[in-house]
Structures are given as structure tokens and as C-alpha cells.
Amino acid sequence: MPRYADRGRALGSTLWLSAVVLSGCPLNPPPEVAGHSRPAHADSEQERMIEEQIVARGVRTPRVLDALRRVPRAAFVPPALAAEAHRDSPLPIGHGQTISQPFIVAYMTDQLDLSGNEKVLEIGTGSGYQAAILGELARRVYTIEIVEPLARQSRELLERQGFENIEVRTGDGYRGWPEQAPFDVIVLTAAPPEIPQPLIDQLAIGGRLLAPVGRWHQELVLIRRDEDGIHRERLIGVRFVPMVGEARNRETSP
């Protein structure tokens, strides 16, 4: 399994991350992106989270860190868990789902290495936290959530947070969002046994797709598409909730 040193980061050992995500990232977007008009408002607990859980583990891209400061993580957890919002672990958000560990959101965002002009598809909105980070850093975000109450809650929360560049759809993300394709970036925040072919087909030339892949043994896989085809890079071991809907049906079909 690759080490962080493979990307020029000196962390010294492979990381296994408890990163059960359901929701489902980019850099320095243009001024018209709604999220960028908001000042940083990280409180002391959020700043400690960023420094101790994220920077200390090797994610140091300033624009990624700035996005993490602008999005109030506590707003994306149930009120009863607000005091635990910055804990170094996933947290339950209802419907058998979780908001992911802060580090895994930062790590996945950092891996995408975006310019800010990209159109992004996220499969698995969940709490909306990853979508909000994407909304801070990308030109446009399309995000799909299969659990209807979560899709509704996230849509309302993202609107209250002032994001005008994020569109939430309720449905199965296996086949993507064909009418908005192609996408510069596609991010999965639930693990299919294999990356759905419709999502690969909707990836633009020059685009990147990031997904946890596997059932019992999962790895975060980065796909790059260029004129020569598809190129896969295995990153780190992770643990996400399984992708349901058509992905699950295909896995269990004889």
C-alpha cells in the first residue's frame, strides 16, 4: 500500500483511516463562486482540528486549509453531537450514515489538486459537509444522495450556508448525472466493489475520479483520464460505507 512519501510527504508509514462517509473538493475558485464571499470563521476547536488532525498528517495546501476554515463543521452534525463535531473520527448523522473523519475529507480534497474552474459530481451527499468543501473550491457541484431525508436536509442546510453553486439530487448515483456530463471531477463517498462504468464514461478528458473501492478490503483509488485512456493509482487503505442501490444489486446478483 502506498505511503504518503510517494507524493512527497514524509509521514513514514501507511495510514488506515476510519472514514465512513456517505456524503460525499478543489482549489482557488473564481470570485463568482458563492462560497468564496464568506470570511473564514473557524473557531478555536475547528482550528485545533485543522492543525492537529490535518496539517500534522501532511495536508498543507493553503487553499484546502482555507476551505476547511470557512465551512463550520459543527453545522453539519446533529445538534446533540455539536460538541463532538471536531473529533478525529466519523460521527453518526442518522439513517445509518455518518459524517466522515475530518482528515479523510481534507485528504481527498487535497488529492484532487483542482484549479477552481471545474465542474464536479459527488456521489453520496450525506451530511453535505464534503459538498460544502467542494462548493468552496469548485465552480459548480452536482451531488446525489440516495437517502431522501438526507438529501432534503443537506439541500436545505447548504442553501442556509449560502452555497448557490451546489445542486442536490435525490436518487441512486450509480449512473451519475448524464445530462450534466462530462465532469472534470467525480468523487464517490461510498464504496462500490468496482467503480461504475457510467461514472467513468462521464469523466471528461483531463478529469479525475476519486473513489473508495472494495468490500472488506477497501482502497482509495484515483483515476485520471487522458487522450491515451484511463490510468489508475492506488492511494491508501480506507473504510467507507458500501455503495447501495444498483451497485449493491449488481454485487448480489448471480
Side-chain angles (χ1 to χ4, degrees):
M1 189 176 299
R3 298 177 185 269
Y4 275 77
D6 294 340
R7 297 189 71 249
R9 297 190 172 99
L11 290 190
S13 65
T14 303
L15 295 182
W16 270 92
L17 306 173
S18 175
V20 188
V21 192
L22 72 165
S23 177
C25 318
L27 312 176
N28 200 22
E32 63 269 19
V33 174
H36 281 263
S37 62
R38 297 199 310 278
H41 47 63
D43 59 21
S44 59
E45 287 299 315
Q46 186 156 310
E47 188 61 37
R48 185 177 300 112
M49 174 194 80
I50 292 168
E51 292 299 325
E52 296 180 0
Q53 300 178 37
I54 294 168
V55 175
R57 288 172 174 159
V59 176
R60 300 184 179 122
T61 305
R63 291 169 292 181
V64 173
L65 301 178
D66 288 346
L68 291 165
R69 290 186 175 100
R70 283 192 293 269
V71 176
R73 182 173 167 86
F76 292 85
V77 304
L81 295 177
E84 305 294 324
H86 305 104
R87 197 170 71 187
D88 186 18
S89 68
L91 292 172
I93 59 171
H95 307 282
Q97 305 294 340
T98 67
I99 181 174
S100 64
Q101 178 186 7
F103 175 75
I104 197 65
V105 175
Y107 179 82
M108 291 177 71
T109 302
D110 201 37
Q111 290 296 317
L112 293 173
D113 192 24
L114 305 184
S115 67
N117 290 314
E118 290 83 0
K119 181 166 67 170
V120 178
L121 173 64
E122 180 193 33
I123 306 302
T125 315
S127 68
Y129 181 64
Q130 177 72 85
I133 300 299
L134 289 163
E136 284 289 340
L137 298 171
R139 176 172 58 85
R140 188 76 185 169
V141 177
Y142 297 87
T143 179
I144 305 174
E145 172 55 53
I146 197 168
V147 180
E148 191 279 333
L150 286 175
R152 183 179 66 253
Q153 293 168 17
S154 294
R155 183 183 299 110
E156 294 171 355
L157 176 55
L158 291 165
E159 289 175 355
R160 289 198 303 272
Q161 290 290 319
F163 288 96
E164 299 178 356
N165 62 329
I166 301 176
E167 185 172 347
V168 181
R169 168 182 280 186
T170 303
D172 188 339
Y174 185 91
R175 297 190 176 275
W177 202 316
E179 60 269 36
Q180 293 296 340
F183 296 95
D184 304 299
V185 167
I186 299 176
V187 181
L188 280 71
T189 57
E194 298 290 341
I195 298 174
Q197 187 62 44
L199 299 181
I200 295 175
D201 293 342
Q202 290 174 37
L203 191 61
I205 299 296
R208 280 86 71 206
L209 186 155
L210 186 63
V213 179
R215 185 178 180 186
W216 304 115
H217 176 71
Q218 297 176 6
E219 290 184 315
L220 196 62
V221 174
L222 178 64
I223 288 180
R224 300 179 187 274
R225 185 174 195 173
D226 61 23
E227 298 289 351
D228 296 323
I230 299 296
H231 310 276
R232 296 175 183 246
E233 179 184 358
R234 296 161 59 188
L235 300 178
I236 57 174
V238 291
R239 182 170 295 169
F240 281 69
V241 294
M243 190 174 181
V244 297
E246 186 170 347
R248 172 68 63 82
N249 295 338
R250 285 174 174 267
E251 184 181 13
T252 57
S253 297

